Amino acid sequence: MRDRPTAPPPPPPSSASPPPASSGSPPHRAAGRAAVVAALVLGVCSVLLLVLVAVRWHPLLALDGDIARATHRWAVRDRAVTQACRVLTDWVWDPLTMRLVCAAAAGWLVWRRAAWWTALWLAGAVALATIVQQSVKAAVGRPRPVWPDPVDSAHYAAFPSGHALTATVVCGLLLWLLRRHGAGRALWRAAVAAAVVSVAGVGVTRVWLGVHWASDVLGGWLFGALLVALAVLVYERARKRPGAPERRRG
């Protein structure tokens, strides 16, 4: 019986064939571009709001006044909610508490990952946020709401809200670090929920207690988000350099 002819084997792949095209940009480049775009947008919004507050733009002041008068009536009437807001704003979402959370995160980075540079970057970003907050307050010098029957009191100028700015910076940076270090789905969802509740909640409590105008809180959110974007941009740029500290560990 005659053997059937066999088909010739396929030619070996050429070593000169081009590699498959990449499906996207490297993660650090994408993060850097996103930080640049976010910083530009947030910077424009922050400066615009700052100018409107500084020149005392009437429509903004009128809206602030309407919101403040309505929430103050509710705060005087509902003392239980007001007391809960005081506890939350003075102990849970207070800037000192937020800075202590940041310090704990920096300590964990050093203890568990030996990430000294990242820990210093985190602490430095939060310290810079405090400097920016106090500098803008002193430059604008906006008075706080004044009531014949106040339910709470606060010091320094009103714009921007230090509580809102600090919560935004700390929660934003910690969320970014969790995402960068590959947090699990359950941890990530819980962290996002806690961050959203904290940032939004602290803003509501400051207006409810009559110690800030609504635009003060909006300014705190905008300036805080701007500082987070700039901090991420600095981090990504520093890690691109050859021999950058913790380049591999993060």
Side-chain angles (χ1 to χ4, degrees), residues 68-134:
R69 284 186 291 271
T71 53
H72 183 66
R73 286 196 302 270
W74 301 336
V76 171
R77 185 177 60 216
D78 198 334
R79 292 288 180 172
V81 175
T82 300
Q83 183 59 31
C85 286
R86 293 189 66 177
V87 171
L88 289 171
T89 198
D90 290 342
W91 296 99
V92 180
W93 297 323
D94 180 69
L96 177 59
T97 304
M98 288 291 165
R99 293 178 189 123
L100 290 175
V101 170
C102 172
W108 182 88
L109 286 168
V110 172
W111 176 48
R112 296 299 299 269
R113 303 183 67 90
W116 284 94
W117 190 87
T118 303
L120 290 174
W121 165 83
L122 177 61
V126 175
L128 177 62
T130 303
I131 295 173
V132 170
Q133 163 203 321
Q134 294 299 334

Side-chain angles (χ1 to χ4, degrees), residues 10 15 30 37 39-40 56 67 79 82 84 111 119 129 136 143 158 160 164 174 179 188-189 197 218-220:
S15 59
V37 173
L40 289 174
R56 302 180 61 82
I67 296 174
R79 292 288 180 172
T82 300
W111 176 48
V136 176
L174 293 183
R179 172 63 74 180
W188 172 251
R189 290 179 176 177
V197 170
L218 178 59

Side-chain angles (χ1 to χ4, degrees), residues 9-214:
S14 173
S15 59
S17 58
S22 175
S23 59
S25 301
H28 65 82
R29 290 186 181 178
R33 284 198 298 268
V36 170
V37 173
L40 289 174
V41 173
L42 291 167
V44 170
C45 294
S46 300
V47 171
L48 177 60
L49 181 60
L50 174 64
V51 170
L52 294 179
V53 170
V55 302
R56 302 180 61 82
W57 190 51
H58 183 266
L60 179 64
L61 298 184
L63 180 61
D64 276 341
D66 292 342
I67 296 174
R69 284 186 291 271
T71 53
H72 183 66
R73 286 196 302 270
W74 301 336
V76 171
R77 185 177 60 216
D78 198 334
R79 292 288 180 172
V81 175
T82 300
Q83 183 59 31
C85 286
R86 293 189 66 177
V87 171
L88 289 171
T89 198
D90 290 342
W91 296 99
V92 180
W93 297 323
D94 180 69
L96 177 59
T97 304
M98 288 291 165
R99 293 178 189 123
L100 290 175
V101 170
C102 172
W108 182 88
L109 286 168
V110 172
W111 176 48
R112 296 299 299 269
R113 303 183 67 90
W116 284 94
W117 190 87
T118 303
L120 290 174
W121 165 83
L122 177 61
V126 175
L128 177 62
T130 303
I131 295 173
V132 170
Q133 163 203 321
Q134 294 299 334
S135 299
V136 176
K137 281 180 178 289
V140 177
R142 188 184 198 186
R144 294 178 183 268
V146 178
W147 309 105
D149 50 350
V151 297
D152 202 356
S153 62
H155 305 290
Y156 308 112
F159 184 88
S161 166
H163 282 67
L165 188 150
T166 304
T168 302
V169 169
V170 171
C171 291
L173 293 176
L174 293 183
L175 280 179
W176 182 77
L177 286 173
L178 281 175
R179 172 63 74 180
R180 199 176 194 288
H181 288 291
R185 181 176 299 179
L187 175 60
W188 172 251
R189 290 179 176 177
V192 169
V196 170
V197 170
S198 297
V199 173
V202 73
V204 171
T205 61
R206 302 311 283 168
V207 177
W208 180 277
L209 295 172
V211 294
H212 274 295
W213 308 103

